Structure formats: structure tokens, C-alpha cells
């Protein structure tokens, strides 16, 4: 389900568990009437990086109990062992012997072990940190511990090694644990070895400490092909990161028992999300509350079903060249999925700006517009003076040259300079005007394409975000289904469910995985579309956020417009204002206006061609540059001036053109009529598109609120039914129906969010201006115009 409602759901699950168990309603008691309760905390030793677990247990316990009890828990009642069984048992005896301690929380493997094996527990003990009862030799009697005054928390089954085996064929497994654990609890490690042997592999236990290089050397010497990392609280964060990096350097796939926190630090795989710690702390507090109500700790339920999900560090996978299977990736949560670690997370604004800068269709159109701009210059050039330089060489027969008395030399090289100028040609002037109009229309077409690319890029980005939300919701739903499968298995073991119920949940897991596979495929298709629009390599991963949409560029829209949309009276005025804005800014209309202006000039020229001639001016100067042969000598009395010049002014009028002038006139008139009809149709379409977009925006705005309400209600109902199912009150069909309803309600809520944002982008496109991606000054001017308009019509 949606991550932002997970915490409320978990709280509902916890409280509902209590309600079903005993039906206790919360009671607020005055401070002086609250009985004091002191809770002691026992740990194996200093918890190091896991100290936050104790802090969380303390906070949850105080939060849950403070309305009815005066709770004391903290450093004054916390005792740490020395990471030995004897030391931990001694610390436990101290707490058991303290008269001021009412209940003890045993945190750690050794603490749980010594508490479970203590011969005489005089006080209730809660152990929230049992890795595996069978591995740790912790007693179990059905659904409880069966040990007086002792309750612990554990999962129904551990699939860690099974998950690791899906990624790599394991022959030699290195099991990393604290040195004290290996020395003090050798039976636990031997049971792990036995479990690995049953799978056809061998396991070697390797102690871990802050001497990370020694640990890595031992792993390498053991020729391990995979590593299983058990909790090692004695390691500092820096040492653990060094260990994870060392495993990457050795190229070894690794599995963390603790889950997500250690996967984020570089371990390849884990199954427990961050919420796992919250569950432990919350259930510990609930167990304490049950004990204070009078329940026997040894009879409380010990098994809880965490919401597990495979978590994969893709950066580690790429570094060691070991990738999970497609099946695993289909329902895993991926960390560091993007290939480019330096890439900033994309936003709606950055996507649109990058598309405008990099889109190849836009770049091609831009070049085409630039090339077409030369048509205006070509048309203008015909109206400007034309100056040409010419050289002519000629050879004539000798007799004619001799008889010309030097006027026509036998060999002559003539140079000339000619000048021509259109004095007036209506056709040439009209052509220039038409080309200018066509160029303005092309520029407006380019502006239209920019709007289309902006909208398409925004839509592609929002589609990815929508698909990621869909994928995340389906993964979370799958995690719930897996948890329900584990819960059904627990119910079957206790006789509360039949084997058929387990099989039904197994079938549901397969169906939900199919949904995840489809969601992944559709998300990847959407990413490919955006990559093309951004002119990025299609194989490159995109750094788009996977969380719910929170983009700063939308804040302006919310501040400026949503109040108007929520006011029906203001909306009517806003609609007319936006239609006027769209008609004024529409590049499609501006392009048609430019073409119509050019066509009107072409029609005028076609009409004038019936009576208006064209006038031309020409001049030429020439000189004999060289002569030779007969007739090239100078005859006395017949000297020839080698320079020649002439000037001509001419007028040209077509008397009969075969009907071409009438045809040109008729064609220009009909083309103009067609353009005017086209403009009217376009204007109506712009008007309609704006009104339709605004209506969709209003609708999606309402649907968003309703979808969120439905999702909250469905999520709460699912939590209640799931708790009732765990308590045997509800059946599997009730839970399936509640989960399916919650799934589709969450999908509808995510879809409604992105539909609303997409519809807002549609309004922007219909308005002919993507104000969201303009500077603050342009946005402020828009808001001022809107406010002025609403005041003028008496709305605001």
C-alpha cells in the first residue's frame, strides 16, 4: 500500500491486536492515580549501531502505557552484559534481584538465550530479538514459549538463505557473526551449518570485529562464494561500511539478516525493511501491556508476521556482476537503481527544460525554420540593385575583321559592368510580403512544437511517476500477501487454518507477482519514451523519484489557482479569463493570422496584375580590354573609343496570358476563404480545448480528494480485517476482499494524483503558454491579470 499510510496502518494493526485479544479500551488516568511501573533492559553488551532499537522500545513503551501507568525505563534500569553467557546471566540476575524492576526487556541473542534457559524467572521477561528459535535453542510450546514469565518475538520462518540461493549457487557459505556469539552460542552456528548442509553446501563461521581486513582475509581463505551477515552490533558504522565494500571488492554476493539498513550500506540483499524495527518495538510494548493486564508471559503469542520484501542494492549488484533473477526483481525493492550515481533526481521543471534543449524533433524544426528564413532574403534580393561583371572573348574571320576598319577586331576581349534595378514590381513586393508572413507562421509553428514537446515531456515524466507509484503499491501489496501467507502458515500450525488456506495464499502471491511484472514493464516503456524525448541513450536509467509527487514547480499552481478552482462563482470568471488568455496566446492562431496576412497581399497583387505594369531600370558600361589579328590596328581618321555605355528604362505589361491572371486571382480568393474558415475553426477548437481542460481539472481535483478518502478508509479496513484474520475472527475471503479493495483504492488514489497534475499540464497546453516553466516575473504578471479580471467582473 502507499508508504505514507503504512505507519498509520501499523499502528492500527498493533492497537487492533490488543483490542481483539482482550477488548481493552484506552483509559486516561490522572497522574496521581497511575501505578508506577519500572522496566529494566538487559543487553548482551554495548549495542553500538543498534542502540536505536532500545531507544525505540523505550519510546513506544512510554507512549503506549503513559496514559495508565507511571512508566520508568531508561539508563538507570539498563544493564549490559560483557558479550558472554556468564556475564549476561549475571546482569539478568541483577535485574531479577532488584525490587524496583517489574518487567525486563532482554535485547540480544545472548540475553534471549539466558532468559529462556534461566531456572527461575521471578519477573516477566520480553525478548524481542530472537533470530530463530530452533537455531538459538529457545523453547517453544505451540504459539507460545511455554516458559513461565518468558515471551519472545520471532518470525514464522527465515527465508534469508533461500533468497540468497536464488541469486547464486552456494557451495561454500561464510556466516559472519560476532566473536562472542560464535564462542558462547556454538550450537546456534552448528544448526546453521546443518541447514546449509541439507541444501547441499558447506558453511564456515567467521568472527567479525573492527579488524575488517582480518575478517575479509578469513572469508577469502575459506573460498566462500556467498556471505550471510548476522547481526553484529559491536561493529561501528564505519567498520560495517568497510566490510560491505570489502565484500564488493571480493566480488561476493551477501545477505543481511538485519535487512534494509545494512543493504543501504552496501550489502547485496536483505528481506526486512526499516519498518521491521518499528514492529519489534511496538510489539514489545504491546507484550508489556498484556503482562501488566495480568496475562501470563509464557502464554502470549510469540510469532509475529513482518511485512517482508526482498531488498536489492543494485549498485552492489553492478559492482560484483551478480544480478538477481527477473523473477526476484519483479517484486523486490531496488536501492541505487540508477546507473549514473551522479545524476540529480529529475523534476517536472528540469525535464521540460531539458526536452526543450535536447529534443531532436525540435532541433530539426528549428534548423528548418532558420533555413526557410532565407526565403525572405531571397525575395528581398529581387527588389535590390543587381550589379554584375562580365568578360566576353570573341574571334571572327580575318576578311570581315579587315573590312571593319577596326570596329570588329579579329580577336577581342570585352569587359562590361551591368546594373539593373526593379523600379516597381507589385508581384515582387507581394512575394516578399508573402515570404515574411510564411516565415512568421513557421516561427509560430515552431512555438507550437515547443509547447507540444513541453507537454509531451511533462506527460511522459508524470507517466513514469504514475507507473512507479503503481509499481510501488503493487510491491507493497505483494509484501502484504506474503505476510498473509506466513500468517496462514502460523494458523495452519496452530490448527486454526487448513492446508488449503495456505495454498490459496500461495496462488495469490503468484497473481500479485504477475501484477508487479506488468507494472515494471509499463514503467520501463514510459522511461524509454521520456529518454527519446530528452535525446538520452535508451539504455540509460532515469533518476526519477519513486516517492509520491512533491514537485516545487506545482506550488505556484496551488497558490495561484486552486482557491479559484474551489470557488464555483470564481471558476466561471476564471474560465472566461483562461479562454481569453488562450485565444491571445495561441501560436496556432498567430500562425494562421500570419498566413492570412500573406494571402491577402497575394490576392491584392493578383488583382493589380490586370492593370499595373512592371518597371525596370538597366545600365551597362563596357571596354575593349585586348584586341588582336586583322582589324586590330588603328586606321588614321577612324580611331575607335574602346568605352561603351547605355541606360534603359522599360515597362512590361502582359496583354494576354492565356487566363493565368484570372486563375491566379480566383486561386488567391479561394485560398483566403479557406484560411479564414480554418482560423474560425481553430479559434473554436482553442476555446473548446480550454473549457474541456478546465472541466477535466475540476473533475480530477474532486476525484483526487475522494480517492484519498477511499484509500484511507480501505487501508484502515484492511488493517482491521487482517488483525481479525490473525486472531481467527475473520476468514480468508474477508481478508482477500479487504486487501483487494485496499489495493485498488491505493492505485486509484495514485492515479488520481497524477491525473490531476496531467490535467493541469493540459490546461497549460491549451492556454498556449507553459507558465509553470517561466520565470517568476511572468508568473506574477499572470496572477495580476487574473486578479484584475476577477475584480472587474465583481468576483474578488
Amino acid at each position: 500500500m502507499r508508504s505514507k499510510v503504512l505507519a498509520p496502518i501499523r499502528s492500527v494493526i498493533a492497537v487492533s491486536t490488543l483490542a481483539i485479544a482482550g477488548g481493552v479500551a484506552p483509559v486516561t488516568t490522572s497522574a496521581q492515580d497511575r501505578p508506577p511501573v519500572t522496566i529494566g533492559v538487559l543487553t548482551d553488551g554495548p549495542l553500538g549501531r543498534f542502540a536505536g532499537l532500545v531507544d525505540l522500545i523505550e519510546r513506544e513503551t512510554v507512549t503506549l502505557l503513559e496514559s495508565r501507568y507511571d512508566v520508568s525505563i531508561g539508563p538507570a534500569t539498563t544493564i549490559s552484559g560483557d558479550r558472554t553467557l556468564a556475564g549476561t546471566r549475571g546482569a539478568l540476575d541483577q535485574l531479577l534481584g532488584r525490587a524496583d524492576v517489574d518487567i525486563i526487556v532482554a535485547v540480544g541473542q545472548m540475553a534471549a538465550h539466558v532468559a529462556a534457559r534461566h531456572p527461575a524467572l521471578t519477573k516477566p521477561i520480553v525478548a524481542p530479538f530472537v533470530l530463530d528459535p530452533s537455531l538459538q535453542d529457545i523453547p517453544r510450546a505451540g504459539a507460545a514459549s511455554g516458559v513461565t514469565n518468558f515471551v519472545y518475538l520471532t518470525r514464522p520462518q527465515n527465508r534469508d538463505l533461500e533468497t540468497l540461493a536464488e541469486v547464486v549457487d552456494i557451495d561454500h557459505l561464510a556466516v559472519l557473526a560476532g566473536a562472542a556469539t560464535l564462542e558462547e552460542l556454538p550450537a546456534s552456528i552448528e544448526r546453521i551449518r546443518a541447514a546449509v548442509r541439507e541444501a547441499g553446501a558447506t558453511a564456515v563461521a567467521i568472527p567479525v570485529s573492527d579488524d575488517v581486513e582480518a575478517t575479509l582475509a578469513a572469508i577469502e581463505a575459506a573460498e566462500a562464494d556467498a556471505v550471510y551477515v548476522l547481526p553484529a552490533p559491536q561493529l561501528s558504522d564505519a567498520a560495517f561500511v568497510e566490510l560491505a565494500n570489502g565484500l564488493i571488492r571480493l566480488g561476493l554476493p551477501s545477505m543481511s539478516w538485519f535487512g534494509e539498513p545494512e543493504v543501504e550500506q552496501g550489502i547485496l540483499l536483505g528481506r526486512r525493511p526499516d519498518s521491521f524495527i518499528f514492529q519489534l518495538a511496538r510489539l514489545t510494548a504491546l507484550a508489556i501491556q498484556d503482562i501488566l493486564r495480568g496475562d501470563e508471559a509464557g502464554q502470549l503469542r510469540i510469532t509475529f508476521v513482518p511485512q517482508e520484501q526482498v531488498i536489492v542494492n543494485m549498485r552492489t549488484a553492478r559492482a560484483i556482476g551478480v544480478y538477481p533473477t527477473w523473477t526476484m526483481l519483479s517484486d523486490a525493492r531496488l536501492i541505487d537503481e540508477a546507473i549514473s550515481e551522479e545524476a540529480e533526481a529529475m523534476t517536472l521543471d528540469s525535464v521540460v527544460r531539458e526536452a526543450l534543449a535536447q529534443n531532436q524533433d525540435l532541433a530539426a524544426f528549428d534548423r528548418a525554420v532558420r533555413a526557410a528564413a532565407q526565403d525572405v532574403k531571397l525575395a528581398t534580393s529581387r527588389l535590390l540593385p543587381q550589379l554584375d561583371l562580365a568578360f566576353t572573348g570573341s574571334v571572327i574571320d580575318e576578311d570581315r575583321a579587315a573590312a571593319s576598319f577596326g570596329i570588329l577586331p579579329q580577336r577581342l576581349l570585352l569587359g562590361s559592368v551591368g546594373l539593373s534595378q526593379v523600379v516597381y514590381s507589385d508581384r515582387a513586393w507581394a512575394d516578399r510580403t508573402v515570404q515574411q508572413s510564411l516565415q512568421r507562421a513557421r516561427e509560430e509553428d515552431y512555438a507550437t512544437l515547443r509547447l507540444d514537446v513541453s507537454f509531451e515531456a511533462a506527460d511522459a515524466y508524470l507517466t513514469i511517476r504514475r507507473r512507479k507509484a503503481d509499481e510501488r503499491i503493487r510491491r507493497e501489496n505483494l509484501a502484504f500477501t506474503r505476510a498473509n501467507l506466513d500468517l496462514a502458515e502460523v494458523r495452519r500450525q496452530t490448527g486454526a487454518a487448513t492446508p488449503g488456506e495456505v495454498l490459496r495464499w500461495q496462488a495469490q502471491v503468484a497473481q500479485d507477482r504477475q501484477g508487479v511484472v506488468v507494472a515494471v514493464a509499463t514503467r520501463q516503456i514510459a522511461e524509454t519514451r521520456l529518454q527519446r524525448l530528452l535525446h538520452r541513450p535508451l539504455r540509460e536509467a532515469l533518476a526519477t523519484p519513486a516517492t509520491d509527487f512533491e514537485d516545487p514547480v506545482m506550488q505556484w499552481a496551488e497558490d495561484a489557482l486552486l482557491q479559484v478552482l474551489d470557488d464555483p462563482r470564481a471558476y466561471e470568471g476564471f474560465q472566461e479569463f483562461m479562454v481569453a488568455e488562450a485565444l491571445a496566446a495561441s501560436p496556432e492562431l498567430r500562425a494562421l493570422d500570419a498566413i492570412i496576412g500573406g494571402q491577402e497581399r497575394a490576392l491584392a497583387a493578383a488583382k493589380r496584375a490586370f492593370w499595373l505594369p512592371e518597371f525596370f531600370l538597366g545600365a551597362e558600361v563596357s571596354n575593349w580590354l585586348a584586341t588582336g589579328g586583322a582589324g586590330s590596328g588603328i586606321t588614321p581618321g577612324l580611331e575607335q573609343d574602346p568605352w561603351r555605355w547605355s541606360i534603359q528604362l522599360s515597362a512590361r505589361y502582359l496583354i494576354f496570358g492565356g487566363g493565368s491572371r484570372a486563375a491566379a486571382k480566383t486561386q488567391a480568393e479561394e485560398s483566403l476563404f479557406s484560411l479564414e474558415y480554418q482560423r474560425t475553426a481553430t479559434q473554436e477548437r482553442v476555446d473548446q480545448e480550454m473549457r474541456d481542460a478546465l472541466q477535466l481539472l475540476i473533475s480530477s481535483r474532486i476525484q483526487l480528494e475522494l480517492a484519498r478518502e477511499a484509500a484511507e478508509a480501505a487501508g484502515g479496513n484492511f488493517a482491521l480485517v487482517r488483525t481479525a484474520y490473525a486472531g481467527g475472527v475473520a476468514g480468508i475471503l474477508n481478508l482477500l476482499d479487504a486487501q483487494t479493495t485496499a489495493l485498488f483504492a491505493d492505485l486509484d488514489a495514485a492515479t488520481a494524483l497524477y491525473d490531476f497534475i496531467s490535467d493541469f499540464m493540459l490546461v497549460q497546453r491549451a492556454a498556449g503558454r507553459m507558465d509553470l516553466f517561466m520565470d517568476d516575473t511572468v508568473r506574477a504578471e499572470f496572477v495580476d491579470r487574473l486578479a484584475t479580471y476577477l475584480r472587474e467582473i465583481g468576483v474578488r
Side-chain angles (χ1 to χ4, degrees):
M1 307 303 146
R2 287 178 297 132
S3 58
K4 68 179 182 180
V5 301
L6 283 179
I9 286 176
R10 296 190 194 102
S11 298
V12 170
I13 290 174
V15 174
S16 299
T17 302
L18 175 61
I20 290 173
V24 176
V27 177
T28 302
T29 308
S30 61
Q32 62 269 26
D33 295 334
R34 290 181 301 165
V37 173
T38 302
I39 300 172
V41 178
L42 170 68
T43 66
D44 297 350
L47 290 180
R49 1 183 235 114
F50 297 153
L53 174 59
V54 172
D55 295 337
L56 188 56
I57 290 174
E58 292 177 358
R59 289 196 301 271
E60 286 295 315
T61 302
V62 171
T63 300
L64 184 64
L65 302 179
E66 64 181 351
S67 64
R68 300 188 63 183
Y69 301 95
D70 182 11
V71 182
S72 297
I73 182 173
T77 56
T78 299
I79 300 179
S80 297
D82 59 0
R83 300 199 188 284
T84 67
L85 290 177
T88 306
R89 188 177 296 110
L92 174 59
D93 288 336
Q94 291 184 49
L95 288 173
L96 289 173
R98 288 181 56 166
D100 61 329
V101 173
D102 301 301
I103 300 174
I104 299 171
V105 178
V107 181
Q109 299 173 63
M110 291 186 192
H113 183 82
V114 299
R117 294 298 170 184
H118 197 281
L121 294 179
T122 57
K123 296 176 182 178
I125 296 179
V126 181
F129 209 65
V130 173
L131 276 63
D132 189 310
S134 62
L135 294 181
Q136 293 177 242
D137 195 21
I138 303 293
R140 178 171 186 164
S145 71
V147 177
T148 301
N149 276 338
F150 181 64
V151 61
Y152 60 91
L153 301 176
T154 189
R155 298 173 301 143
Q157 62 185 111
N158 188 337
R159 293 196 180 98
D160 289 350
L161 296 181
E162 176 185 333
T163 301
L164 184 59
E166 287 185 41
V167 176
V168 61
D169 293 330
I170 303 174
D171 291 324
H172 304 288
L173 177 69
V175 180
L176 305 189
T181 302
L182 297 180
E183 293 174 4
E184 300 293 327
L185 298 173
S188 297
I189 301 303
E190 184 52 42
R191 289 187 178 92
I192 293 178
R193 288 196 184 99
V196 173
R197 280 197 299 271
E198 289 181 5
T202 61
V204 58
I206 296 176
V208 295
S209 66
D210 281 336
D211 187 358
V212 174
E213 289 303 323
T215 302
L216 295 173
I219 295 172
E220 197 168 10
E223 298 182 351
D225 43 33
V227 177
Y228 185 33
V229 183
L230 295 176
Q234 71 275 14
L235 283 183
S236 65
D237 278 327
F240 190 86
V241 171
E242 184 182 354
L243 173 65
N245 290 335
L247 295 178
I248 293 173
R249 188 170 64 251
L250 295 176
L252 292 175
S254 52
M255 180 82 192
S256 164
W257 183 95
F258 211 77
E260 183 173 359
E262 294 184 345
V263 174
E264 289 180 340
Q265 291 178 304
I267 298 300
L268 176 64
L269 297 168
R271 291 189 61 91
R272 280 156 285 286
D274 284 333
S275 59
F276 173 69
I277 300 301
F278 172 89
Q279 286 180 288
L280 286 179
R282 186 66 176 176
L283 291 171
T284 301
L286 285 168
I288 293 172
Q289 181 173 257
D290 288 340
I291 292 170
L292 291 173
R293 288 170 48 206
D295 293 343
E296 163 55 40
Q299 300 304 313
L300 294 177
R301 181 181 293 274
I302 61 174
T303 303
F304 74 101
V305 183
Q307 187 184 349
E308 291 191 356
Q309 180 181 22
V310 176
I311 305 161
V312 184
N313 189 316
M314 293 303 293
R315 176 176 55 84
T316 299
R318 290 191 295 271
I320 66 177
V322 175
Y323 288 87
T325 63
W326 284 112
T327 302
M328 179 179 291
L329 288 176
S330 69
D331 63 352
R333 190 157 65 81
L334 308 181
I335 295 175
D336 286 336
E337 183 178 3
I339 294 176
S340 175
E341 298 179 9
E342 295 77 19
E344 292 186 21
M346 304 172 76
T347 65
L348 185 59
D349 180 72
S350 69
V351 163
V352 171
R353 294 184 186 279
E354 184 176 347
L356 293 177
Q358 301 296 334
N359 182 263
Q360 295 301 284
D361 291 331
L362 201 55
F365 203 104
D366 178 47
R367 290 296 180 178
V369 171
R370 295 188 187 193
Q374 305 309 307
D375 289 341
V376 178
K377 293 184 178 181
L378 290 173
T380 303
S381 69
R382 288 190 282 272
L383 297 170
L384 299 177
Q386 309 293 312
L387 183 66
D388 60 87
L389 177 65
F391 296 93
T392 304
S394 63
V395 178
I396 61 176
D397 60 275
E398 183 177 355
D399 293 341
R400 188 154 56 95
S404 70
F405 299 103
I407 296 176
L408 294 174
Q410 185 178 3
R411 293 185 295 276
L412 173 64
L413 177 62
L414 179 68
S416 64
V417 176
L419 176 67
S420 62
Q421 171 66 55
V422 174
V423 177
Y424 183 79
S425 171
D426 193 59
R427 182 173 57 182
W429 280 102
D431 182 51
R432 179 177 182 272
T433 302
V434 168
Q435 292 301 326
Q436 288 175 327
S437 299
L438 291 176
Q439 182 60 18
R440 287 197 301 273
R442 284 188 285 264
E443 290 169 355
E444 295 299 337
D445 288 342
Y446 177 70
T448 299
L449 183 59
R450 283 177 61 88
L451 285 172
D452 290 339
V453 169
S454 298
F455 176 77
E456 190 175 359
D459 182 68
Y461 174 77
L462 293 173
T463 299
I464 292 174
R465 297 292 298 272
R466 179 187 286 112
R467 298 308 180 202
K468 280 195 170 184
D470 179 78
E471 180 182 341
R472 172 176 53 77
I473 291 168
R474 290 187 179 277
R475 288 183 188 278
E476 290 171 354
N477 177 70
L478 176 58
F480 272 116
T481 304
R482 288 190 181 281
N484 291 338
L485 173 60
D486 289 339
L487 191 57
E489 181 62 33
V490 172
R491 284 163 51 90
R492 186 192 65 78
Q493 293 173 3
T494 59
T498 65
E501 194 166 309
V502 175
L503 294 174
R504 178 62 184 86
W505 282 115
Q506 289 176 346
Q508 190 63 40
V509 167
Q511 292 177 11
D512 290 346
R513 293 183 75 173
Q514 292 175 16
V516 172
V517 170
V518 173
V520 171
T522 54
R523 187 255 301 167
Q524 291 174 338
I525 291 171
E527 288 180 342
T528 302
R529 175 191 172 203
L530 182 58
Q531 286 163 328
R532 178 188 64 79
L533 289 169
L534 301 183
H535 186 49
R536 290 191 178 192
L538 299 187
R539 65 181 180 277
E540 178 182 293
L542 294 175
T544 53
T547 57
D548 284 335
F549 190 88
E550 294 180 2
D551 201 301
V553 78
M554 287 298 296
Q555 187 61 48
W556 171 82
E558 294 177 2
D559 294 342
L561 302 181
L562 292 189
Q563 290 184 353
V564 177
L565 293 176
D566 291 338
D567 184 344
R569 185 164 172 264
Y571 170 72
E572 293 298 327
F574 175 66
Q575 187 179 53
E576 298 307 317
F577 171 80
M578 290 301 296
V579 168
E581 288 278 307
L583 294 175
S586 171
E588 294 93 341
L589 288 176
R590 290 199 300 264
L592 283 170
D593 287 339
I595 296 175
I596 288 173
Q599 192 60 38
E600 288 174 341
R601 182 64 182 89
L603 176 59
K607 291 178 178 179
R608 291 172 185 171
F610 283 96
W611 55 269
L612 183 62
E614 295 178 307
F615 299 92
F616 303 92
L617 176 67
E620 183 180 52
V621 176
S622 64
N623 181 264
W624 287 6
L625 301 179
T627 60
S632 61
I634 298 177
T635 304
L638 296 175
E639 292 89 350
Q640 298 295 317
D641 185 357
W643 289 95
R644 303 283 190 273
W645 63 272
S646 64
I647 298 176
Q648 303 93 28
L649 177 63
S650 61
R652 185 169 58 200
Y653 176 76
L654 180 65
I655 300 299
F656 179 71
S660 61
R661 286 179 297 189
K665 174 179 172 293
T666 301
Q667 183 183 54
E669 288 174 338
E670 294 300 327
S671 296
L672 182 58
F673 287 142
S674 174
L675 288 169
E676 288 172 345
Y677 286 130
Q678 186 177 345
R679 192 195 187 284
T680 300
T682 302
Q683 179 174 329
E684 292 174 349
R685 186 172 62 252
V686 170
D687 189 327
Q688 176 203 335
E689 288 176 350
M690 174 53 72
R691 295 179 190 275
D692 290 349
L694 288 173
Q695 194 57 49
L696 287 173
L697 185 63
I698 288 289
S699 174
S700 61
R701 166 88 167 144
I702 297 171
Q703 290 182 54
L704 175 59
E705 297 301 322
L706 296 176
R708 284 175 171 171
E709 291 178 12
E712 292 291 338
N717 177 65
F718 171 54
L720 292 172
V721 175
R722 187 167 185 259
T723 304
Y725 176 75
V729 179
I732 184 174
L733 294 180
N734 300 108
L735 184 55
L736 279 169
D737 178 68
Q739 183 172 344
T740 302
T741 302
L743 168 65
F744 285 105
D746 280 337
L747 292 174
D748 288 344
T751 299
L753 171 64
Y754 291 104
D755 282 348
F756 172 71
I757 301 170
S758 294
D759 288 341
F760 193 87
M761 294 299 105
L762 189 62
V763 170
Q764 291 279 292
R765 175 60 187 89
R769 50 195 302 166
M770 302 295 279
D771 293 310
L772 281 179
F773 312 108
M774 297 180 182
D775 59 38
D776 293 338
T777 301
V778 176
R779 295 177 185 173
E781 290 174 352
F782 172 84
V783 174
D784 289 342
R785 290 198 307 275
L786 174 59
T788 301
Y789 179 83
L790 294 177
R791 282 196 304 270
E792 289 176 351
I793 64 174
V795 173
R796 295 265 178 177

